[in-house]
Amino acid sequence: MRPPFRSATAGNEPLKTLDFLFQRLIKAAFVVLGVVILNFLLIHLAPGDPAAVMAGEAGAGDEKFIAQLRAQFGLDQPLWWQLVTYLGNVLTGDLGFSYRNNVPVAELIMERLPATLLLTASAFLFSLLLGVVLGVLAAYKRGTLADSLIMTGALIFYATPLFWVALMAVLVFSIHLDWLPPFDMESIGADYTGWARFADIAYHLILPTVTLGLFFTALYTRLTRASMLEVMSLDFVKTARAKGVPKARIIRRHVLRNAVLPVFTFASIQAGQLVGGAVLTETVFAWPGIGRLMFDALLQRDYPVLLGVFLVTAAVVVTVNLVADLLYRIVDPRIEAAG
Amino acid sequence: MDKETTSLLRVESLSIPLPAGLDRTYAVENISYELNAGEILCVVGESGSGKSMTANAIMGLLPSYLKPSGGRIVFRGRDLLAMSEPELERERGRSVAMIFQEPLSALNPLMKVGEQVAEVMLVHGEGDAAARERRVLELLDFVGLPDPASLRHAYPFRLSGGQRQRVMIAMALALEPAMLIADEPTTALDVTTQAQILELIRRIQAAKGMGVMFITHDFGVVADIADRVVVMERGLVVEQGMAADVLNRPQHPYTRRLIAAVPHREDGADRTDAGGETLLEVKQLSKTYRSGGGLFSKARVVKAVDDVSFSLRRGETLGVVGESGSGKSTLGRCLLKLTDVDGGEIRFRGRDIVPLSPGAFRPMRRHVQMIFQDPFSSLNPRQTIGRILTDGPVANGVPLAEAQARARELLGLVGLEPSAFDRYPHEFSGGQRQRVGIARALALDPELLVADESVSALDVSVQAQVLELLQDLQRKLDLAIIFITHDLRVAAQICDRVAVMHRGAIVECGPPAQIFDAPRHAYTRQLIAAIPGLAWNPRQAVV
């Protein structure tokens, strides 16, 4: 007699995913709220008075003018009231007004965000793809010259600071060899449209992408190699060998998918760091993204812009993680059932 | 006729050297045996005997640092050791197939089971996609899996251990190989599942006329399925012959020792006088696990312990037997208050410990101690044995010097050298570590010991020693023992009473004679019928 095939959780999965999504969205909202409040308080704890900075640059240092500026931007109100007002405004989509640029912060960020997303997404894909390929290759050729070369290269880029790589890349590929543009996202004054503009941007993208991505490539290479070697020692790989499956197919069909799971987890966490790394890259390559916007706002004590950038970055990181978790449930069928 | 034509496989003077620095020079040394078509050959031995190593050598699956240094493995007239990797790949899966011990890890977790079965045919270029699909359905049905049409689309984690082992067997049978190597295929399975898988292997072997090489450590399994037996000890073949001869008239001292160690109910050994005053009384104990669930989906509720009542006297051993998921381990955890309970009473020395707060129960903890299953992970690898044995007493207020003196005394009591005091767990074998585990439990002078599968991970000869030690200690110290096990033979050998658990409830409880000779509950009867080697009495073999 055979019992019917029915596992304990079968049939429940779509609802479980819904539960999961619901819980995660609530958590995500709280995370973003926490980031906003924390940043707001931290910024006001830091020394430096934006009104004084602005007045000083305007050449007028008298108390009356500064007080007027404070009143204009609501800086004379108690801190808790400023926070409540700010949160209320954020909920309605109003991120405030830049002290310096005299434009709404939301507008400023939306103008710069695509450039940053383009750079980070390119760097992310570049590092993940190249890292996994090199890691697989190193594991497959374990103990050979190819393995040693790949791992030495990975170690070098893992150990070298990002800004140094960036400066050297500009020096070698732009100044000495003149192969690639050293800064900016488009050729100034060229006014390309359509495909020509696309190609121009892609051309400008190469150096910052590779620079930003190399550290992460090194990381993924090492991680993939270690993970591959671990999976290769598991029982089911022996089963596959006992079935007469050739080695290349074992790597492709059995090892790879299992081995990239931890790499995938790691990458989803690292995606947030990539946005942070972009600040440096954007500054070196004069890339018109929010990294540079943040850097400038910091020097100018432009609180609304700073807070806006923090909020948007946090939202991007939280979204990326949420998407990664959902994807993970697709890549690994066991997750969905475990809930 | 010469032997080449009759035997399917001949292992001739095979030697595999071990890397330098290990406890012996050869993994297997100069071993020879043969397997004929249409027979089941059991290769028996304890861990480290080299039985799996030989199987891996036959399959060409040895790790790269192990290379046979001499001998031949002749399969259907050709030496497998002389074949190139591509040649071996053609043979593996097509003419020789292998199934492994751990069905949980032997299947790719991210590949649907039907696809994994079909892959054997795919890589050997057998049939087109549609033909393979038909064959997969046929195979899944043949090995007794339910609803092949939907099961082939399931991922392995959806299947039980027994079902996964059936998938492995389906995979091995796909191309109807001439030889099947089964490496402890039922060791990780429950006893009733084991009986089904053994039956399946026997059925397939008879239907397909395959030669089956069955590797096992369990003489009960040997008694059930073997035509011929090869006994291995530390890399050597010490005895081989027809199953009936080896089982009932073992020649080599090692075989005799092994067979004598097989747990078995001692005739007329039921102790009716066991026990003094009542130490523990459990009444209507319940424990429910809930998992998952949220706004949109239902939670999963499992009654792990369901209305369980029993009592235990000093000096008595109560066996709790059941299959995985029966709730026997949860029951043990409840008794130690390692988990909350949902209802019922646990009266220890007359006092109900269920309502006690962790703080109020702490002084009583020393009276109830546990011996764990895995002697490797249950000892802290960074602590010396001395530290392990004195930690508990010192935490309970015993002066260090006194605790250390007691620890040395305990080492003697469990049969370890006094020098063990300053050494670390990794310097000891599994059986020795389990002795340390017992000494640790005894260090607090407990009145009740809960032994959760405490001998399951041990080789049969070591298992016999540890069981003897436990019985000896019980007599000396008047201990009450709750012995949780999946092995009915062990329970029959050492318990005064046996409680059979099934789905959280005790379905039957009584002395071994009653449970084994006149079981009342249908589930008990099913369990007993599934005991491997039931018809064979190892006590009559070695007189």
Side-chain angles (χ1 to χ4, degrees), chain A residues 233-269:
Chain A
S233 71
L234 295 182
D235 284 353
F236 64 83
V237 174
K238 196 171 168 191
T239 306
R241 290 187 65 199
K243 278 153 82 172
V245 182
K247 192 179 174 192
R249 186 182 160 90
I250 289 180
I251 297 286
R252 219 171 50 239
R253 298 280 301 166
H254 292 275
V255 181
L256 187 57
R257 192 164 163 205
N258 281 284
V260 294
L261 286 182
V263 181
F264 195 88
T265 312
F266 197 69
S268 65
I269 299 167

Side-chain angles (χ1 to χ4, degrees), chain B residues 123-401:
Chain B
V123 297
H124 289 286
E126 197 69 29
D128 56 8
R132 287 196 294 267
E133 207 160 301
R134 277 197 306 278
R135 178 79 176 134
V136 166
L137 289 174
E138 197 181 292
L139 285 163
L140 294 180
D141 183 64
F142 181 75
V143 296
L145 283 163
D147 196 3
S150 70
L151 185 130
R152 74 192 156 121
H153 296 302
Y155 288 98
F157 76 95
R158 293 260 180 238
L159 278 61
S160 69
Q163 287 175 330
R164 291 187 216 192
Q165 202 57 290
R166 284 173 198 266
V167 171
M168 283 296 293
I169 294 172
M171 204 145 65
L173 292 180
L175 298 172
E176 309 223 333
M179 176 166 81
L180 175 69
I181 299 177
D183 189 358
E184 303 255 11
T186 59
T187 305
L189 302 176
D190 273 326
V191 59
T192 51
T193 316
Q194 163 168 284
Q196 290 164 7
I197 297 289
L198 290 178
E199 173 57 36
L200 175 66
I201 291 177
R202 236 186 338 237
R203 180 162 65 90
I204 290 165
Q205 188 270 333
K208 314 277 180 193
M210 281 186 308
V212 176
M213 183 176 151
F214 195 105
I215 296 163
T216 182
H217 68 282
D218 188 336
F219 269 99
V221 172
V222 176
D224 270 0
I225 67 162
D227 294 316
R228 282 193 312 119
V229 182
V230 167
V231 183
M232 290 188 70
E233 182 198 10
R234 291 178 59 81
L236 303 170
V237 169
V238 295
E239 181 163 0
Q240 54 181 315
M242 298 308 287
D245 293 335
V246 175
L247 286 170
N248 298 316
R249 287 172 294 281
Q251 301 301 310
H252 193 273
Y254 177 73
T255 318
R256 291 182 186 199
R257 266 207 316 280
L258 270 188
I259 289 179
V262 172
H264 193 266
R265 200 171 120 215
E266 310 299 334
D267 295 321
D270 280 11
R271 288 182 289 167
T272 45
D273 57 336
E277 54 166 315
T278 300
L279 179 69
L280 177 77
E281 213 173 354
V282 174
K283 286 181 188 163
Q284 296 172 331
L285 190 69
S286 294
K287 167 73 188 172
T288 306
Y289 285 114
R290 278 164 230 282
S291 63
L295 263 186
F296 304 99
S297 61
K298 266 193 297 191
R300 206 175 145 212
V301 179
V302 179
K303 279 190 172 179
V305 177
D306 187 8
D307 197 18
V308 161
S309 302
F310 64 87
S311 67
L312 183 66
R313 292 178 296 173
R314 285 182 197 277
E316 189 186 26
T317 303
L318 172 71
V320 178
V321 300
E323 299 187 290
S324 50
S326 63
K328 55 189 196 302
S329 286
T330 306
L331 176 63
R333 292 174 57 81
C334 288
L335 296 179
L336 268 84
K337 267 177 88 77
L338 293 175
T339 179
D340 295 328
V341 305
D342 295 325
E345 289 177 21
I346 303 173
R347 295 199 160 275
F348 183 72
R349 297 204 292 190
R351 185 172 174 199
D352 186 8
I353 61 169
V354 169
L356 294 183
S357 68
F361 182 62
R362 190 169 303 127
M364 294 178 72
R365 278 209 181 275
R366 48 181 291 259
H367 301 302
V368 190
Q369 288 297 309
M370 191 157 196
I371 307 169
F372 297 93
Q373 170 170 6
D374 183 356
F376 291 89
S377 64
S378 60
L379 299 177
N380 185 339
R382 300 270 175 271
Q383 290 185 351
T384 60
I385 304 301
R387 173 85 195 275
I388 288 169
L389 296 183
T390 52
D391 249 4
V394 169
N396 276 280
V398 177
L400 184 62

Side-chain angles (χ1 to χ4, degrees), chain A residues 118 181 184-187 192 194-209 287:
Chain A
L118 178 67
D184 230 327
M185 195 166 120
E186 293 179 74
S187 305
Y192 291 120
W195 281 108
R197 182 168 181 228
F198 177 84
D200 187 43
I201 294 180
Y203 181 53
H204 280 83
L205 195 56
I206 295 173
L207 214 46
T209 298
W287 192 262

Side-chain angles (χ1 to χ4, degrees), chain A residues 133-154 221 225:
Chain A
V133 168
L134 288 176
V136 169
L137 207 65
Y140 189 72
K141 301 265 177 196
R142 183 189 185 180
T144 64
L145 183 66
D147 179 23
S148 307
L149 286 178
I150 291 172
M151 292 323 287
T152 310
T221 303
R225 180 180 181 272

Side-chain angles (χ1 to χ4, degrees), chain B residues 475-521:
Chain B
R475 273 194 296 275
K476 279 185 194 151
L477 307 171
D478 202 24
L479 290 167
I481 299 180
I482 292 189
F483 196 89
I484 299 168
T485 181
H486 71 284
D487 191 333
L488 280 84
R489 292 171 293 180
V490 173
Q493 183 177 323
I494 70 153
C495 297
D496 301 305
R497 280 187 302 137
V498 175
V500 181
M501 276 191 90
H502 182 46
R503 294 189 184 155
I506 291 183
V507 296
E508 188 164 358
C509 183
Q514 179 200 319
I515 297 286
F516 289 89
D517 297 335
R520 291 186 204 131
H521 196 276

